[in-house]
């Protein structure tokens, strides 16, 4: 699992200083909980409305102004309690609960300048992050996550108990007043890697901040302290002082904000490995820290969810595929046995026609075939006479004939299930990496489909299902026509049976699991040969035979494509098709060319 860059003290303070001028004070109009770790406070001021995002996620705890939350039902009790207490009140302050601590105190009152009725403590402390509502006497009313005395003897968090701050760290507190010789001697007291020595010596630092600071001084984070020259120490101390000045100014602003004061913060932005609130090593600047945090964490969390969900689905469907494959082999073996049914009848007929040749106690008899005269050896049961042996062979014939009638529909059903599972696996394999929210939505739709088809179990309430519909891949053919490619069974069904028009053409890899491909054609338009080949190549690429050199692709008009009654999602049969060879490698070359990669 990818390690996310966590919100450190610097990022938290600079974000609060950025939020304060525009959103304090603000009326709380709505409280909404998106998931088990994230709530939104809908704020309103004279200048507009916005959403304050508060998360106590163990890897992505943060506070920032965020994009509006998705419109899915809120079924959480924590938000219900917050809604009951905070709706209609004013958010009048965002303070640091204690110096050099990543704990914020959000205060709510009836009006600005009035005493706070409620405190919402937001603890951004890694895997122990939490959000806790207390009354004006600091008695806990409701925590997002309760901690019993059995879970923590140091600091239990339970309703009705007084709120206590997390235990303070004992490392040295950085100050602007500390002279460089004293600062340098602290860090260099024990030889070691520069980034590790900074982290172990002072409070308020994070790995990301320290590494960015060192790189801003043109040094390497793992450079040994004893190898630094006086000039290099000077450069690093200059960046250190710069950081402390920015942090000090923002902290002072939060303690005593005035209408005329403006916080001058560095330009935040994305770095190659994460982000920087100080503007160090950025490769993509972002206008505000809130926007930076909102974009970074939702993308990272979506990537994590994507990877986990894809692995879960692939593993589950692969196991089902093996299980159903074994069942198909068993049925096929029974059918092959039933192919011998006529042989048993033929042997019985021969035996009945040659009863006079039978001898008591014999285990086999050799008789000439009726038509060819070829000698056929027939195994016998010595304890039975010739007629009884013939009757046994007739019974074997009837038994195998009955078995064929019973097994054939079962095998057809299993083969249909195999086809469905193969289609799902193809859909999963096509979504190779996370690129945007559409990729995650596509996987979520596949999961919902598998739950509906009884391949997955879920304890989630029905209301939590995906409400946003994912979109198919879209391409443009050489003649400028639109080409749509389904990314999962839901999209395939929608493309084929809802989107497709009378003038379009429908493509699918022949007898091979793959996506439904729709070539959109306006009335009167005729697809050129290059357009048909383009569509065929895409159908071949988005199929189970992606790695083949060439793949047969069938195409026809949508009106000749049908879905059998009761068929699984993505299943379709077609008529009056034509076949064209598709070349998957051509698509690979095109995609690489679009990315500027030469092949």
């Amino acid at each position: 699992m990818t390690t996310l860059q966590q919100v450190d003290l610097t990022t938290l303070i600079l974000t609060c200083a950025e939020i304060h001028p525009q959103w304090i004070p603000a009326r709380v109009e709505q409280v909404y909980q998106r998931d088990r770790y994230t709530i939104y406070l809908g704020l309103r001021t004279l200048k507009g409305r916005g959403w304050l995002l508060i998360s106590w996620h163990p890897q992505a705890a943060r506070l920032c102004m965020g994009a509006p939350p998705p419109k899915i039902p809120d079924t959480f009790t924590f938000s219900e309690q917050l809604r009951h207490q905070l709706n209609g009140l004013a958010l009048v302050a965002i303070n640091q609960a204690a110096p050099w601590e990543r704990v914020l105190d959000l205060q709510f009152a009836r009006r600005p300048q009035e005493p706070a009725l409620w405190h919402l403590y937001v603890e951004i402390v890694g895997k122990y992050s939490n959000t806790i509502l207390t009354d004006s006497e600091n008695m806990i009313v409701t925590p997002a996550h309760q901690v019993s005395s059995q879970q923590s003897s140091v600091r239990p968090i339970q309703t009705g108990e007084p709120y206590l701050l997390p235990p303070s760290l004992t490392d040295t507190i950085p100050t602007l007043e500390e002279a460089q010789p004293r600062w340098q001697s602290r860090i260099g007291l024990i030889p070691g890697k520069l980034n590790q020595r900074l982290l172990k010596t002072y409070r308020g630092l994070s790995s990301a901040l320290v590494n960015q600071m060192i790189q801003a001084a043109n040094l390497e984070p793992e450079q040994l302290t004893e190898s630094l020259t006086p000039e290099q120490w000077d450069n690093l101390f200059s960046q250190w002082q710069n950081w402390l000045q920015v942090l000090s100014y923002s902290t002072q602003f939060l303690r005593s904000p005035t209408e005329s004061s403006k916080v001058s913060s560095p330009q935040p932005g994305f770095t190659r490995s994460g982000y920087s609130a100080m503007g160090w090593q950025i490769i993509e600047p972002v206008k505000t820290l809130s926007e930076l945090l909102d974009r970074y964490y939702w993308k990272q969390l979506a990537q994590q969810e994507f990877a986990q969900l894809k692995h879960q689905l692939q593993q589950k469907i692969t196991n089902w595929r093996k299980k159903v494959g074994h069942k198909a082999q068993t049925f096929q073996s029974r059918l092959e046995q039933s192919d011998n049914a006529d042989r048993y009848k033929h042997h019985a007929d021969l035996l009945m026609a040659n009863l006079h040749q039978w001898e008591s106690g014999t285990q086999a008899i050799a008789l000439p075939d009726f038509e060819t005269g070829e000698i056929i050896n027939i195994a016998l049961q010595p304890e039975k006479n010739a007629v009884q042996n013939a009757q046994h062979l007739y019974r074997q014939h009837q038994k195998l004939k009955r078995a064929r009638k019973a097994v054939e529909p079962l095998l057809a059903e299993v083969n249909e299930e195999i086809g469905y599972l193969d289609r799902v696996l193809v859909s999963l394999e096509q979504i190779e990496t996370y690129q945007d929210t559409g990729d995650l939505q596509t996987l979520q739709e596949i999961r919902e489909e598998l739950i509906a088809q009884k391949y997955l179990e879920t304890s989630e309430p029905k209301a939590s299902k995906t409400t946003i519909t994912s979109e198919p891949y879209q391409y443009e053919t050489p003649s400028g026509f639109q080409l749509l490619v389904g990314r999962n069974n839901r999209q395939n069904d929608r493309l084929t049976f809802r989107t497709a028009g009378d003038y379009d053409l429908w493509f699918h890899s022949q007898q091979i699991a793959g996506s439904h491909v729709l070539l959109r054609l306006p009335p009167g338009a005729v697809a050129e040969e290059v357009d048909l080949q383009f569509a065929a190549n895409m159908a071949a690429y988005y199929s189970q035979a992606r790695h083949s050199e060439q793949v047969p692709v069938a195409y026809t008009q949508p009106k000749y494509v049908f879905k059998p009654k009761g068929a699984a999602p993505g299943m379709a049969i077609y008529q009056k098709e034509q076949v064209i060879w598709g070349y998957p490698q051509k698509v690979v070359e095109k995609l690489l060319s679009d990315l500027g990669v030469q092949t």
Side-chain angles (χ1 to χ4, degrees):
M1 183 182 292
T2 304
T3 302
L4 275 65
Q5 179 177 330
Q6 295 193 354
V7 168
D8 56 20
L9 178 70
T10 304
T11 304
L12 188 62
I13 297 301
L14 294 186
T15 305
C16 291
E18 176 187 277
I19 292 172
H20 201 289
Q22 186 176 354
W23 297 103
I24 303 296
R27 183 75 58 189
V28 179
E29 289 192 325
Q30 192 173 349
V31 178
Y32 171 83
Q33 187 162 352
R34 174 178 179 149
D35 53 45
R36 59 187 295 204
Y37 297 117
T38 313
I39 61 169
Y40 288 82
L41 301 184
L43 303 180
R44 180 170 183 167
T45 68
L46 295 175
K47 296 181 179 180
R49 296 178 178 178
W51 291 93
L52 179 64
L53 181 155
I54 301 169
S55 174
W56 53 96
H57 191 285
Q59 287 186 291
R62 63 202 185 278
L63 178 142
C64 64
M65 299 305 297
K71 294 181 179 180
I72 55 177
D74 177 355
T75 59
F76 296 91
T77 56
F78 181 59
S79 58
E80 184 179 350
Q81 292 172 310
L82 293 186
R83 203 157 31 241
H84 178 69
Q85 306 295 352
L86 303 182
N87 261 5
L89 296 182
L91 173 61
V92 296
I94 299 180
N95 295 331
Q96 204 176 356
W100 295 95
E101 294 291 344
R102 287 180 292 165
V103 180
L104 300 176
D105 175 12
L106 280 62
Q107 300 179 15
F108 300 85
R110 289 191 179 88
R111 295 178 184 82
Q113 312 306 324
E114 289 190 8
L117 298 175
W118 304 97
H119 296 261
L120 190 64
Y121 289 97
V122 180
E123 302 177 351
I124 311 293
V125 286
K127 65 180 181 180
Y128 300 109
S129 296
N130 210 338
T131 299
I132 303 160
L133 180 69
T134 75
D135 60 17
S136 57
E137 302 298 323
N138 260 2
M139 299 299 291
I140 297 175
V141 176
T142 178
H145 176 61
Q146 294 215 40
V147 180
S148 67
S149 56
Q150 286 78 22
Q151 292 172 305
S152 174
S153 58
V154 177
R155 186 175 175 255
I157 301 172
Q158 293 183 305
T159 300
E161 297 294 325
Y163 174 76
L164 301 174
L165 287 170
S168 296
L169 299 174
T170 57
D171 297 327
T172 303
I173 294 176
T175 65
L176 280 166
E177 292 72 27
E178 185 177 28
Q180 179 176 344
R182 177 59 176 160
W183 169 84
Q184 183 175 328
S185 66
R186 283 183 190 273
I187 299 169
L189 179 64
I190 301 174
K193 295 177 181 178
L194 186 54
N195 55 1
Q196 294 300 318
R197 290 300 306 141
L198 276 166
L199 283 170
K200 292 179 179 178
T201 305
Y202 289 98
R203 288 177 62 176
L205 300 172
S206 67
S207 295
L209 179 78
V210 165
N211 288 342
Q212 292 164 8
M213 181 188 297
I214 294 172
Q215 289 170 338
N218 295 318
L219 299 172
E220 292 298 323
E222 296 189 356
Q223 191 169 341
L224 298 178
T225 53
E226 57 267 36
S227 70
L228 267 64
T229 65
E231 182 181 0
Q232 290 174 325
W233 279 111
D234 290 343
N235 291 339
L236 183 57
F237 186 70
S238 175
Q239 298 297 336
W240 175 266
Q241 291 284 94
N242 177 33
W243 165 65
L244 281 176
Q245 286 171 355
V246 170
L247 189 60
S248 175
Y249 185 73
S250 297
T251 303
Q252 290 173 10
F253 171 78
L254 288 177
R255 288 175 184 165
S256 56
T258 62
E259 292 184 5
S260 60
S261 63
K262 280 189 176 181
V263 178
S264 178
S265 298
Q267 172 68 65
F270 290 103
T271 63
R272 296 192 182 280
S273 58
Y275 64 85
S276 172
M278 289 292 299
W280 286 323
Q281 311 304 117
I282 65 172
I283 57 175
E284 180 190 342
V286 179
K287 187 176 180 181
T288 66
L289 257 174
S290 282
E291 179 189 348
L292 177 72
L293 298 180
D294 204 40
R295 283 174 54 187
Y296 174 79
Y297 285 106
W298 283 128
K299 181 177 181 180
Q300 294 296 319
L301 290 172
Q303 285 179 332
Q304 282 194 0
E305 184 181 354
F306 173 88
Q308 293 169 355
L309 182 56
K310 182 177 179 181
H311 176 73
Q312 174 199 0
L313 296 178
Q314 281 185 317
Q315 190 175 48
K316 192 73 175 179
I317 295 304
T318 299
N319 290 339
W320 270 103
R321 178 63 175 80
K322 290 178 180 178
K323 181 179 178 180
V324 176
H326 289 318
K327 189 185 294 186
Q329 289 177 359
T330 301
F331 289 151
Q332 188 63 48
S333 176
R334 290 181 185 176
L335 279 184
E336 290 172 358
Q337 291 176 5
S338 69
D339 290 339
N340 295 322
D342 291 337
R343 183 170 64 88
Y344 283 106
K345 182 177 182 301
H346 186 57
H347 288 185
D349 291 342
L350 283 175
L351 189 57
M352 290 297 293
N354 295 276
L355 291 175
H356 61 283
Q357 295 191 36
W358 174 80
E359 295 180 2
S360 178
T362 186
Q363 295 184 352
I365 189 170
L367 299 173
D369 186 74
F370 290 128
E371 296 179 358
T372 65
E374 181 182 349
I375 299 300
I376 296 177
N377 289 312
I378 303 174
L380 301 175
Q381 296 181 8
E383 70 277 8
K384 295 179 180 180
N385 61 33
V387 174
Q388 290 172 332
N389 271 291
Q391 289 173 340
H392 173 73
L393 292 171
Y394 281 131
R395 285 195 295 270
Q396 286 294 101
H397 163 72
Q398 291 299 324
K399 179 180 178 181
L400 291 176
K401 293 288 282 186
R402 290 194 301 270
R404 172 173 286 278
K405 289 182 179 179
V407 169
E408 280 180 338
L410 294 176
L411 180 59
E413 185 179 329
V414 167
N415 284 335
E416 186 175 329
E417 185 176 6
I418 288 173
Y420 170 73
L421 295 173
D422 284 344
R423 291 195 298 274
V424 175
L425 283 172
V426 168
S427 296
L428 292 173
E429 290 166 1
Q430 288 171 0
I431 314 170
E432 295 180 356
T433 58
Y434 178 88
Q435 300 295 330
D436 54 42
T437 54
D439 296 322
L440 181 56
Q441 290 165 7
T442 301
L443 284 187
Q444 289 169 339
E445 288 177 350
I446 293 174
R447 177 180 60 188
E448 290 171 12
E449 177 188 316
L450 292 174
I451 291 171
Q453 297 296 315
K454 310 300 184 184
Y455 289 102
L456 287 179
E457 295 180 358
T458 179
S459 57
E460 298 178 4
K462 291 183 179 179
S464 66
K465 286 186 177 182
T466 304
T467 57
I468 301 174
T469 302
S470 64
E471 297 297 328
Y473 291 119
Q474 297 189 36
Y475 297 97
E476 187 177 290
T477 71
S479 298
F481 298 124
Q482 184 185 41
L483 189 78
L484 302 178
V485 181
R487 304 174 69 182
N488 57 30
N489 285 327
R490 181 182 294 184
Q491 289 184 15
N492 287 335
D493 283 346
R494 192 166 63 246
L495 279 181
T496 303
F497 303 112
R498 293 186 184 179
T499 305
D502 294 338
Y503 303 98
D504 299 336
L505 287 176
W506 182 88
F507 292 74
H508 195 283
S509 49
Q510 190 179 42
Q511 303 299 317
I512 300 170
S515 295
H516 296 199
V517 177
L518 191 64
L519 177 59
R520 307 304 310 275
L521 296 173
V526 177
E528 301 290 341
E529 196 66 33
V530 289
D531 300 313
L532 298 177
Q533 188 62 60
F534 182 88
N537 292 346
M538 285 293 177
Y541 179 74
Y542 289 106
S543 77
Q544 197 173 28
R546 169 179 288 193
H547 301 292
S548 302
E549 290 186 10
Q550 57 182 16
V551 179
V553 174
Y555 71 95
T556 186
Q557 293 177 322
K559 65 182 179 180
Y560 298 125
V561 184
F562 311 95
K563 189 174 188 67
K565 186 176 180 180
M571 173 65 178
I573 56 176
Y574 48 87
Q575 300 173 347
K576 299 187 179 182
E577 73 277 9
Q578 298 183 62
V579 177
I580 183 174
W581 288 101
Y583 301 93
Q585 187 59 33
K586 296 289 185 182
V587 178
V588 176
E589 293 171 1
K590 179 186 183 304
L591 295 177
L592 291 175
S593 176
D594 291 344
L595 294 172
V597 179
Q598 294 184 349
T599 57

